[in-house]
Amino acid sequence: MIKRIAQTAGFAGLLAALLLTLLQSFWVAPLILQGETYENGEAATEQVAEHSHAAGTAAHSHEHDAEAWAPADGWQRVLSTTGSNLVVAVGFALMLAGLYTLRAPGRSRDGLFWGLAGFATFSLAPSLGLPPELPGTAAADLALRQYWWLGTASATAVGLALAVFARHWALKAAGLVLLAVPHLIGAPQPEVHSSLAPEALERQFIWASLITNALFWSALGMLSAWLYRRSSRALTE
């Protein structure tokens, strides 16, 4: 059983991660680079203003903090993105394969539904309150956003499970309530909403991120279901 789960997660995660990297490289990453140009332009303007102000003082001491390492554009960024996607994809594939041991998929179409449920849990529902953000976008406190994201993902996962698999109507109703609770509470928001990038670019980035994640989860669900069923047949033969 452990070997079957590991093989399913490894191969499905690898293929889905490569697909995600490909989609991000040609669609999402160019939008991020456009957003970074606005952020870098604003930072350069502020730096010039600071140096101009310092030039008029009698004595001035200025220290520059060492910038944190970040992958350069090109192969470094692609390699870093691929590695991150692989870790995330294998982790999600392990979760799906573990769920298949409780409710085995009959066909790849069943895996698609599991994948879409994962997309709703980890991407769609959290993005309703905290949409994907381009560089230079004002945001609320990081810890508060993480807590809300975790609570939303947990409530969505349990809510979907109850709404789909529960037999009693009261449990199904409780599942629907759980789906709505995080959004009734509301995601933490910054005091002032501002963004350096144009609004049209922000909308394009949000849609690109959501569609990319939907395709990733769909592929991960179908691949993991197909590999899991194939490995199950191999063990019975």
Side-chain angles (χ1 to χ4, degrees):
M1 180 67 68
I2 296 177
K3 181 180 179 181
R4 186 192 314 174
I5 293 175
Q7 288 179 341
T8 299
F11 287 114
L14 174 62
L15 295 175
L18 293 177
L19 172 64
L20 179 60
T21 301
L22 184 65
L23 293 172
Q24 289 176 335
S25 298
F26 287 98
W27 195 5
V28 179
L31 299 177
I32 295 177
L33 292 176
Q34 291 184 48
E36 288 179 348
T37 59
Y38 293 97
E39 184 182 39
N40 294 335
E42 180 71 13
T45 301
E46 292 178 356
Q47 187 175 11
V48 170
E50 290 177 0
H51 282 283
S52 299
H53 176 73
T57 60
H60 174 68
S61 60
H62 189 73
E63 297 180 358
H64 292 279
D65 295 330
E67 294 184 357
W69 180 86
D73 295 339
W75 69 269
Q76 285 188 3
R77 185 181 287 245
V78 173
L79 186 61
S80 177
T81 301
T82 303
S84 300
N85 289 341
L86 181 60
V87 172
V88 172
V90 171
F92 283 137
L94 281 171
M95 178 192 68
L96 288 176
L99 291 172
Y100 294 157
T101 63
L102 302 176
R103 194 178 184 90
R107 59 187 70 181
S108 297
R109 185 181 63 182
D110 297 334
L112 173 61
F113 293 143
W114 280 103
L116 292 177
F119 166 70
T121 299
F122 297 103
S123 183
L124 181 60
S127 70
L128 294 178
L130 296 175
E133 297 174 343
L134 283 171
T137 302
D141 180 73
L142 177 60
L144 294 178
R145 285 183 289 146
Q146 290 176 332
Y147 292 146
W148 188 87
W149 187 97
L150 182 60
T152 301
S154 301
T156 303
V158 176
L160 285 175
L162 291 175
V164 174
F165 298 119
R167 296 183 178 181
H168 197 280
W169 67 268
L171 292 177
K172 290 182 176 293
L176 296 177
V177 171
L178 276 176
L179 293 176
V181 165
H183 308 287
L184 294 176
I185 295 174
Q189 300 295 329
E191 295 182 1
V192 178
H193 290 270
S194 63
S195 176
L196 300 177
E199 185 177 351
L201 184 61
E202 286 185 343
R203 288 197 301 268
Q204 189 177 357
F205 178 69
I206 292 173
W207 280 108
S209 299
L210 290 175
I211 294 174
T212 297
N213 275 282
L215 293 174
F216 160 74
W217 274 105
S218 299
L220 185 64
M222 289 188 294
L223 285 169
S224 59
W226 179 75
L227 289 169
Y228 186 86
R229 289 189 300 108
R230 183 177 181 182
S231 62
S232 299
R233 288 198 300 266
L235 290 175
T236 56
E237 293 177 356

